[in-house]
Amino acid sequence: MMFSVDEIRKDFPILTREVYGKPLVYLDNAATTQKPQCVIDAISEEYCSVNANVHRGVHFLSQQATQLHEDAREVVRNFINARSTAEIVFTRGTTESLNLVASSFGEAFLKEGDEVIVSEMEHHSNIVPWQLLRDKKGIVLKVIPIDDCGRLKLEELEALLTPRTRLVSVAHVSNVLATVNPVKRIAEMVHAHGALLLVDGAQSVPHIKVDVQDLDCDFYVFSGHKVYGPTGVGVLYGKEALLDRMPPYQGGGEMIARVTFEKTTYERLPYKFEAGTPDYVGTHALAVALQYVSHIGMEAIAAHEHALTQLAMEQMRGIKGMQLYGETDDKGAVVAFNIEGIHHLDLGTLLDRLGIAIRTGHHCAQPLMQHYGVEGMARASFALYNTKAEVEALVAGIERVRRMF
Ligand code: PMP
């Protein structure tokens, strides 16, 4: 069932503002999404009337805050269809979730010569933690190449998998090409070789229905701020049996069962991985955001964004000198491009003057830029509140800029 974009837009106060006297056309949603009023209210109301530190308090407010925080864990569990809340670890975001796995899984399961495989289209957050581990432990980092349409070469993955492969870590959806990687198929390939699969869901959770049991991935990570939730809160999903065997990531409050100077024992899952005061207001607000998108329906959101992306691609193809990156049919809500003779930074700056916010640069995917032989790209990315008129404004804006050169 479709939804009314006009009605949806009323939920997002920022969308009524102007920049340089022009209506804001916000097309930088892959970097972060805007927040609906219900998320903003959830944060404000919790600080106004509930705020107290969670878990350790016997008093009323602490128990109420704890309840909201733990209810949020159940909302996340349900949203991605994990088996148990023990499998839902709250983190600061995708980057921290990835570093947690690299550090803790690396500590427990990886030794010199073991192999981790990433792909050529990964965000730096899914490259650098593995390089740090390579420096520390002497693991081998291998890379799945892509074709020029932006598809992973799965036959090359097959060839890269060896008895020493321990983990494959790939994006579900690329933040540049918007390729939707066949992670279910990849999980089968990886498991057939006795290795594990980590999926970076930063760009998928906001756009498509994710079911971690159906995908059968071993870890799944995402950020709250890209799915209409607050900044500073994210999720690590991991299969319970696996998380159980991994050592803590950080030490401190919340993650302990008992501390003496001689020996400390750790809390049960998921608390073992949650040292220190969590962002309990953020987790509650994230749950409100997930309930908001669930209410609209992920299928309806995906269909709306797909239509916008197709329209953008179609119209942009007609622009002289246009180079589009990522041409798979089922791609997600991102259009990355360059225009011959115009630097992407100039393009972004001039579009900004027209009120159109896009992102330019390497998009934290420098190896991918190297694949295409460019230093950077322009990128427009869509969300549930974007309209066809905004896509048209983008296309008209690009034409206008192009004529200046
Ligand atoms: N992975 C992907 C695919 C991303 O798009 C991003 C954000 N651009 C990240 C990881 C990092 O997310 P965060 O900055 O929220 O940790």
Side-chain angles (χ1 to χ4, degrees):
M1 202 180 68
M2 284 315 280
F3 51 89
S4 157
V5 183
D6 289 344
E7 286 304 309
I8 292 287
R9 288 180 73 82
K10 292 182 191 155
D11 295 337
F12 291 81
I14 205 169
L15 297 180
T16 58
R17 74 160 289 180
E18 298 190 333
V19 290
Y20 309 112
K22 310 265 184 347
L24 170 69
V25 176
Y26 185 78
L27 301 178
D28 192 17
N29 295 288
T32 201
T33 50
Q34 300 302 346
K35 316 305 168 198
Q37 190 66 53
C38 58
V39 168
I40 299 166
D41 287 347
I43 295 167
S44 166
E45 281 163 15
E46 189 162 356
Y47 280 125
C48 284
S49 60
V50 181
N51 184 50
N53 206 336
V54 290
H55 293 312
R56 281 165 294 224
V58 289
H59 62 80
F60 186 87
L61 289 187
S62 177
Q63 289 186 16
Q64 209 176 358
T66 304
Q67 189 69 48
L68 290 175
H69 180 61
E70 291 306 324
D71 286 352
R73 205 185 298 276
E74 168 56 22
V75 170
V76 172
R77 183 207 64 72
N78 184 50
F79 192 75
I80 60 170
N81 195 31
R83 278 172 210 83
S84 145
T85 49
E87 300 180 318
I88 305 297
V89 177
F90 284 123
T91 64
R92 283 193 304 121
T94 304
T95 303
E96 188 175 52
S97 299
L98 287 164
N99 277 277
L100 190 162
V101 177
S103 170
S104 174
F105 178 82
E107 188 61 41
F109 293 104
L110 299 183
K111 47 186 187 309
E112 192 175 343
D114 283 346
E115 298 161 0
V116 171
I117 303 178
V118 296
S119 91
E120 209 180 355
M121 68 170 81
E122 296 313 310
H123 188 280
H124 296 163
S125 294
N126 194 23
I127 299 173
V128 184
W130 308 113
Q131 291 177 322
L132 291 171
L133 200 59
R134 180 174 64 188
D135 296 344
K136 204 167 140 197
K137 290 209 125 188
I139 63 157
V140 177
L141 191 58
K142 294 171 151 185
V143 183
I144 315 166
I146 59 165
D147 65 21
D148 283 344
C149 284
R151 253 183 237 101
L152 288 181
K153 292 186 175 171
L154 285 196
E155 65 291 356
E156 304 252 359
L157 169 60
E158 193 58 54
L160 290 174
L161 288 161
T162 77
R164 291 305 299 269
T165 309
R166 298 285 172 263
L167 185 81
V168 175
S169 187
V170 292
H172 196 169
V173 175
S174 155
N175 67 317
V176 178
L177 307 169
T179 312
V180 182
N181 288 320
V183 285
K184 190 171 174 171
R185 167 91 191 92
I186 295 174
E188 287 164 8
M189 292 170 70
V190 167
H191 291 154
H193 285 81
L196 300 174
L197 178 67
L198 188 162
V199 179
D200 173 354
Q203 299 294 343
S204 44
V205 164
H207 304 288
I208 53 182
K209 178 89 193 96
V210 169
D211 179 333
V212 290
Q213 291 189 62
D214 179 53
L215 296 176
D216 197 26
C217 54
D218 301 285
F219 299 105
Y220 200 97
V221 299
F222 67 96
S223 298
H225 70 98
K226 291 186 199 277
V227 58
Y228 311 100
T231 53
V233 56
V235 172
L236 160 65
Y237 156 81
K239 285 182 182 164
E240 189 169 350
L242 201 53
L243 291 178
D244 223 18
R245 292 166 62 203
M246 287 161 49
Y249 173 52
Q250 294 179 333
E254 216 67 77
M255 51 71 76
I256 58 96
R258 185 172 161 74
V259 178
T260 66
F261 279 113
E262 288 69 40
K263 182 174 168 57
T264 290
T265 52
Y266 308 124
E267 255 288 22
R268 66 187 196 281
L269 289 174
Y271 309 106
K272 181 175 81 174
F273 291 109
E274 294 181 354
T277 299
D279 184 356
Y280 52 85
V281 176
T283 56
H284 169 53
L286 170 61
V288 172
L290 297 182
Q291 284 164 329
Y292 176 81
V293 289
S294 297
H295 184 70
I296 296 166
M298 291 313 292
E299 284 81 9
I301 293 172
H304 170 69
E305 292 172 345
H306 185 68
L308 292 180
T309 310
Q310 292 305 106
L311 179 69
M313 297 280 286
E314 226 170 84
Q315 299 205 351
M316 285 165 74
R317 269 195 200 100
I319 297 175
K320 199 162 159 255
M322 174 63 68
Q323 172 70 58
L324 293 167
Y325 304 99
E327 301 243 28
T328 49
D329 292 337
D330 62 341
K331 70 181 268 169
V334 181
V335 181
F337 60 100
N338 266 316
I339 297 175
E340 206 184 330
I342 310 178
H343 194 277
H344 50 86
L345 191 60
D346 292 334
L347 183 62
T349 308
L350 291 165
L351 284 175
D352 179 50
R353 287 282 156 175
L354 302 173
I356 303 169
I358 64 159
R359 189 148 291 250
T360 62
H362 56 61
H363 310 292
C364 295
Q366 285 181 343
L368 184 62
M369 301 298 119
Q370 285 149 24
H371 174 94
Y372 287 102
V374 296
E375 175 213 323
M377 297 174 184
R379 179 186 77 180
S381 51
F382 309 111
L384 67 102
Y385 41 65
N386 288 124
T387 63
K388 287 186 173 173
E390 289 181 313
V391 171
E392 281 155 8
L394 169 70
V395 174
I398 298 171
E399 279 289 16
R400 193 165 153 189
V401 172
R402 199 186 57 76
R403 283 195 296 272
M404 291 177 189
F405 283 80

